[in-house]
Amino acid sequence: MDSQSNVQRAAPFRLLRDHFSTSNPFPILEQLRSLGPVVQAPSSSSDHNVWVVTRLKEAVDVLKDHKRFTVDSTIFDPQAAIQRQTEIDRTRPIFVQRSMINVDEPDHRRLRGLVSKAFTPRYIASLRPAIQQIADELLDRVQDQGKMDLVHDYGYPLPITVISDMLDVPVHMREQIRRWSEGLVDNAPGEEHRIRVQSFSDYIIELVAEKRKHPGDDLTSQLIQLEDEGDHLSEIELFSMIGLLVFAGHETTSNLISIGTLTLLDHPDQLQRLQADPSLIPSAIEELLRFNGPVLMPAPRWVVADTELAGQQLKKGDILMTVLASADRDEQQFTNPDELDIARSLNRHIAFGQGIHVCLGAPLARLEGDIAFTTLLRRMPDLQLAIPRDEVKWRDNITLRGLLRLPVTF
């Protein structure tokens, strides 16, 4: 769609459905912003309106205001709320059943507080030598080959190794977790997806059972101990929390590394600047997250009671889809938002979310990204794409964006 009149006639979800490109969603997101900061979308499968939040200010308002906009849809259904607290639903990924990503206060504070002790700044900083060793070992394996698939050989195994070591997931299970994770975010047929969901959930339950028999000083054992104390963590919360840490602990960081590398290869002037001045890597990571982050939008929010947002009248039960990737290119908030600037100052992106649900693992992801990019650019200064640019394949998922593979030479 090229003309403004066509944009105005098009419904937001129709734009996303008919014209969305996983590899380059930004032209469509720009058109959505032109329709307004909060745009109503038609919904034939719901009794409530669906709204798309496109600009930074309104996105921050929604993400920070959990009293008006909740992640917990069960507040409208008491029976569903009871089931969520007591029953494992084998048709849904275990990490979205009763974890901190889909509850608000006071349960959110309690659940997040239990794991935040393992993500203190001091502890995260202490992981640097171990993460550096992992990065070097991964590149040692391919150094003499002169080529690798950056997704499979580097971007994925680095964060999955880190979080698996923290949770004491056995080495032989990490490749299987990768396959399950890919299955949870792709658009596989219904039965195939159901089998992957159930297999992942069954493994988390199995891991907990094994750590009950043989506890250690790992995070899984620590969470089990809290559950055994009886006043902090229920069994279903335990399963959901560990499942969330396994999945979220590697999924977005691996995509940050691979998408970030591709973005730098697409902008050779910025890549050369970064190679010449590695001290820019921390700011480069923030810019890569803003410019081409791995999460298009977080969990939807439900309107708790009739309210107003950006001049739009929202009704109780309406659904809000907050598009982080659009907000982070908001022309009203960023200078030249469609340009990559690894030294960008005042970069107030929301790629990690905002409010109480801001990503708990953000400091770990930043550290892993820092080490991953520093090590890659230092050891492989002649990094180049090994296939034509138009042959780079993306996963078929508009929410959690990632590359299927990224062959490179060096």
Side-chain angles (χ1 to χ4, degrees), residues 32 62 112 120 127 203 205 207 225 274 359 363 372 379-380 384 393:
L32 286 176
V62 169
R112 188 179 178 105
T120 63
L127 296 176
Y203 175 69
I205 295 171
L207 174 65
Q225 183 178 355
L274 195 57
C359 178
R379 295 188 53 172
M380 299 173 174
Q384 296 181 38
K393 301 299 182 184

Side-chain angles (χ1 to χ4, degrees), residues 230-246:
D231 61 345
H232 291 293
L233 199 63
S234 69
E235 183 175 65
I236 192 170
E237 288 173 341
L238 172 67
F239 294 146
S240 296
M241 182 70 73
I242 294 174
L244 174 64
L245 291 170
V246 171

Side-chain angles (χ1 to χ4, degrees), residues 335-349:
T335 302
N336 300 321
D338 293 327
E339 294 183 9
L340 182 72
D341 179 3
I342 61 169
R344 184 182 292 271
S345 60
L346 299 177
N347 191 344
R348 300 173 293 110
H349 72 78

Side-chain angles (χ1 to χ4, degrees), residues 151-300:
V151 173
H152 294 268
D153 296 324
Y154 193 59
Y156 171 79
L158 191 153
I160 190 62
T161 301
V162 174
I163 195 63
S164 294
D165 286 346
M166 292 174 65
L167 294 163
D168 200 23
V169 174
V171 173
H172 72 272
M173 285 303 302
R174 297 177 187 183
E175 181 57 33
Q176 179 61 63
I177 288 174
R178 176 201 182 132
R179 292 194 289 269
W180 283 331
S181 296
E182 291 177 343
L184 292 175
V185 297
D186 68 16
N187 288 329
E191 179 62 16
E192 184 178 347
H193 182 78
R194 186 196 65 78
I195 292 172
R196 288 170 174 172
V197 166
Q198 183 169 337
S199 297
F200 182 80
S201 299
D202 288 345
Y203 175 69
I204 297 301
I205 295 171
E206 178 185 322
L207 174 65
V208 170
E210 177 63 24
K211 297 306 295 184
R212 286 194 197 280
K213 295 178 183 177
H214 305 288
D217 59 359
D218 54 274
L219 182 54
T220 302
S221 297
Q222 294 173 28
L223 291 172
I224 289 171
Q225 183 178 355
L226 290 172
E227 186 253 354
D228 288 341
E229 292 174 359
D231 61 345
H232 291 293
L233 199 63
S234 69
E235 183 175 65
I236 192 170
E237 288 173 341
L238 172 67
F239 294 146
S240 296
M241 182 70 73
I242 294 174
L244 174 64
L245 291 170
V246 171
F247 179 79
H250 76 273
E251 179 65 30
T252 54
T253 307
S254 65
N255 293 328
L256 163 64
I257 295 170
S258 58
I259 296 173
T261 300
L262 177 63
T263 302
L264 290 171
L265 292 172
D266 284 342
H267 297 81
D269 60 324
Q270 297 294 297
L271 175 58
Q272 292 171 9
R273 185 180 181 187
L274 195 57
Q275 289 171 325
D277 185 2
S279 70
L280 290 173
I281 284 180
S283 68
I285 290 171
E286 303 306 317
E287 177 68 346
L288 291 170
L289 286 164
R290 181 200 71 81
F291 184 82
N292 204 2
V295 181
L296 187 87
M297 51 189 166

